[in-house]
Amino acid sequence: MKHLISPSVLSADFANLILDIDMINQSSADWFHVDIMDGVFVPNISIGFPIIEAIKRHAKKPLDVHLMIVNPDLYIQRFAEAGANILTVHYETCNHLHRTLQSIKNENMKAGVVLNPHSPIHLLEDIITECDVVLLMSVNPGFGGQKFIKNTYSKIETLKNLIIRKNASTLIEVDGGVDIHNARKLIDCGADVLVAGNAVFKAKNPTEMIQQLKNC
Ligand code: DX5
Ligand code: ZN
């Protein structure tokens, strides 16, 4: 499978969001990555339901919604109603992860688990077959534009081995500090989906940057 690109809307221009949504619609991007931060799990607050619904009204590609919130179970149905197609929850926020993933699937969304940089892959040993996606954080979550953590390369390889060993069909997604310089190596290690915020939206030509990330 050719790898997927999921531009992070967090780095878009929120005063002109429709322009950036249309740019993504017309580009070779595959998903819209939408970051939800609650100011509790991470030291930042991003966007809520009205903005997600507004994005959904114009987006012609699936919404890949990354929850950085405590108690995600409380809002699963609301995110489904707002238009999320893929919903990822942090391992670090879920006491009953198996139940949470089932609840997401019951709302007809793809279910994913996110690992912070300090959380090892072996935590997923008994849940990997339930994960449509595993999102590996390659920065500490909370902000766009941070420096890529190099330990992520070996984590991708370890995760890939786990997926193969368990005969799972999980996609590996990488988020944080992804750019044209590390994209090829991430794919070679086993990544299936690359999230990119600053690399896309701070580029002179965002459409072309998406194409380059897609072609790499
Ligand atoms: C960070 C977010 C990322 C962020 C990525 O907490 O989860 O999705 O927007 O931005 P860049 O690509 O600029 O690191
Ligand atoms: Zn994210």
Side-chain angles (χ1 to χ4, degrees):
M1 182 193 95
K2 178 79 181 157
H3 63 270
L4 308 181
I5 305 297
S6 190
S8 173
V9 177
L10 187 66
S11 297
D13 177 358
F14 280 94
N16 289 293
L17 201 46
I18 187 69
L19 296 180
D20 286 337
I21 294 171
D22 277 342
M23 183 277 291
I24 295 175
N25 279 337
Q26 282 154 29
S27 76
S28 51
D30 298 278
W31 296 349
F32 284 76
H33 187 80
V34 181
D35 289 299
I36 310 298
M37 306 177 183
D38 66 353
V40 179
F41 177 62
V42 289
N44 200 2
I45 298 175
S46 59
I47 59 169
F49 297 111
I51 306 281
I52 303 170
E53 286 161 1
I55 295 171
K56 185 67 181 182
R57 278 199 294 278
H58 299 282
K60 298 197 173 104
K61 299 171 183 186
L63 296 198
D64 161 35
V65 177
H66 172 195
L67 297 188
M68 286 159 273
I69 64 173
V70 296
N71 294 323
D73 300 83
L74 294 180
Y75 302 103
I76 288 170
Q77 198 185 344
R78 295 281 309 274
F79 282 108
E81 288 164 1
N85 301 97
I86 301 122
L87 196 66
T88 58
V89 294
H90 270 259
Y91 180 91
E92 299 86 6
T93 62
C94 294
N95 289 330
H96 305 286
L97 186 55
H98 187 278
R99 181 185 293 151
T100 303
L101 296 179
Q102 296 315 315
S103 304
I104 295 172
K105 291 178 188 174
N106 286 343
E107 295 292 336
N108 293 317
M109 295 179 285
K110 298 279 182 204
V113 175
V114 192
L115 290 184
N116 267 339
H118 71 272
S119 294
I121 299 299
H122 69 76
L123 295 171
L124 302 176
E125 177 87 22
D126 291 314
I127 195 72
I128 191 70
T129 54
E130 304 299 321
C131 300
D132 295 312
V133 177
V134 169
L135 173 53
L136 296 180
M137 287 311 303
S138 40
V139 298
N140 286 293
F143 305 92
Q146 300 183 82
K147 192 168 178 276
F148 178 83
I149 297 171
K150 291 205 169 78
N151 186 50
T152 310
Y153 295 124
S154 66
K155 280 182 88 170
I156 297 171
E157 288 170 344
T158 308
L159 175 56
K160 187 81 190 173
N161 287 336
L162 175 64
I163 290 168
I164 291 169
R165 179 160 56 81
K166 296 280 189 173
N167 207 12
S169 48
T170 314
L171 294 179
I172 302 177
E173 185 173 11
V174 181
D175 183 9
V178 173
D179 62 20
I180 197 63
H181 305 291
N182 55 24
R184 182 68 246 168
K185 187 162 176 191
L186 292 167
I187 301 302
D188 287 344
C189 289
D192 302 294
V193 187
L194 300 181
V195 176
N198 266 27
V200 166
F201 288 99
K202 298 279 183 277
K204 261 202 210 108
N205 185 335
T207 311
E208 200 177 291
M209 179 52 67
I210 292 171
Q211 188 66 52
Q212 283 182 35
L213 289 166
K214 185 76 185 173
N215 287 347
C216 79

